[in-house]
Structure formats: C-alpha cells, structure tokens
Amino acid sequence: QVQLVESGGGLVQPGGSLRLSCAASGFTLDHYAIGWFRQAPGKEREGVSCISSSDSITYYADSVKGRFTISRDNAKNTVYLQMNSLKPEDTAVYYCAASIWYSCLDSEYDYWGQGTQVTVSS
C-alpha cells in the first residue's frame, strides 16, 4: 500500500522554526520527485518547495526562499522541509506529494499525504 505520512506541524511563534517530515511506505522515495504544498483557509493550494528524484533540481516559492530548505534521507525513505523564520502568513495545512516526473504543479503529483497543520501565531 502506497502511503505518505507528514508529521512535525504545530503551533509556533513568529520567527520560530519547524521541521516537517514526509515518510513513505509501500514505495521508494528516491525514485520520485517530492513536493511540499500548502493550503491556507480560503486560498488555493500552492507549491512551496519541490525536489527532483536525483536531488539535482530544487524549487522554492518566492515567499519562502532563504527560509525553507527541502532535503531527503533515502536511508529513512523520508523527505524533510526545514522551515525557519516563520511568519503568520506561513499558516496553512502542509502536504507532501510524490511524482515520477519533476514538477511543482500539484496536478502532476500522484501520491499525497493527509497533511499537517502549521500555525504561526503569537
């Protein structure tokens, strides 16, 4: 059974940090491009950061450049999103997704996790 499970979300103050994890089961993540997406209430889902299967290509939305870092640990079959200098506008449900082809368009992704809530508030 193919499954992606996100964890690491929570409530954090502005300026704080969180590390999201995306653990895969039923398939090997290193064969897939992985994307992190987020959706805030009343807004469309947006691509936050994506990484190719070879790790040679990464993408960051302008709103998170310099603050977020995507990485993977193939031995743990897990992809991470390190989020620093968090802002209230980063509040959203964060999803990870897997695709055979590299892209940061959500329509290109085949497998999705259930999401984890990130709330940035004082």
Side-chain angles (χ1 to χ4, degrees):
Q1 180 183 1
V2 172
Q3 193 173 16
L4 291 170
V5 178
E6 302 97 336
S7 60
L11 173 64
V12 63
Q13 292 186 341
S17 298
L18 285 173
R19 188 177 77 159
L20 304 184
S21 300
C22 173
S25 60
F27 68 110
T28 305
L29 274 182
D30 62 0
H31 295 159
Y32 289 79
I34 303 298
W36 284 97
F37 299 85
R38 68 185 180 187
Q39 188 165 23
K43 294 187 177 181
E44 293 187 355
R45 186 165 57 193
E46 64 170 339
V48 175
S49 181
C50 301
I51 187 167
S52 63
S53 58
S54 64
D55 295 354
S56 61
I57 306 172
T58 56
Y59 163 86
Y60 295 95
D62 287 343
S63 58
V64 307
K65 278 181 184 175
R67 301 188 297 122
F68 290 12
T69 303
I70 191 170
S71 63
R72 70 168 86 215
D73 184 335
N74 291 333
K76 294 183 178 180
N77 213 25
T78 300
V79 174
Y80 303 98
L81 185 68
Q82 178 67 44
M83 306 188 296
N84 298 328
S85 303
L86 283 161
K87 304 175 180 180
E89 51 264 43
D90 294 319
T91 296
V93 178
Y94 284 71
Y95 302 88
C96 68
S99 171
I100 284 291
W101 309 109
Y102 174 74
S103 168
C104 221
L105 296 174
D106 57 0
S107 58
E108 298 292 324
Y109 281 75
D110 304 304
Y111 305 112
W112 289 82
Q114 82 290 348
T116 185
Q117 176 70 46
V118 171
T119 303
V120 184
S121 174
S122 55

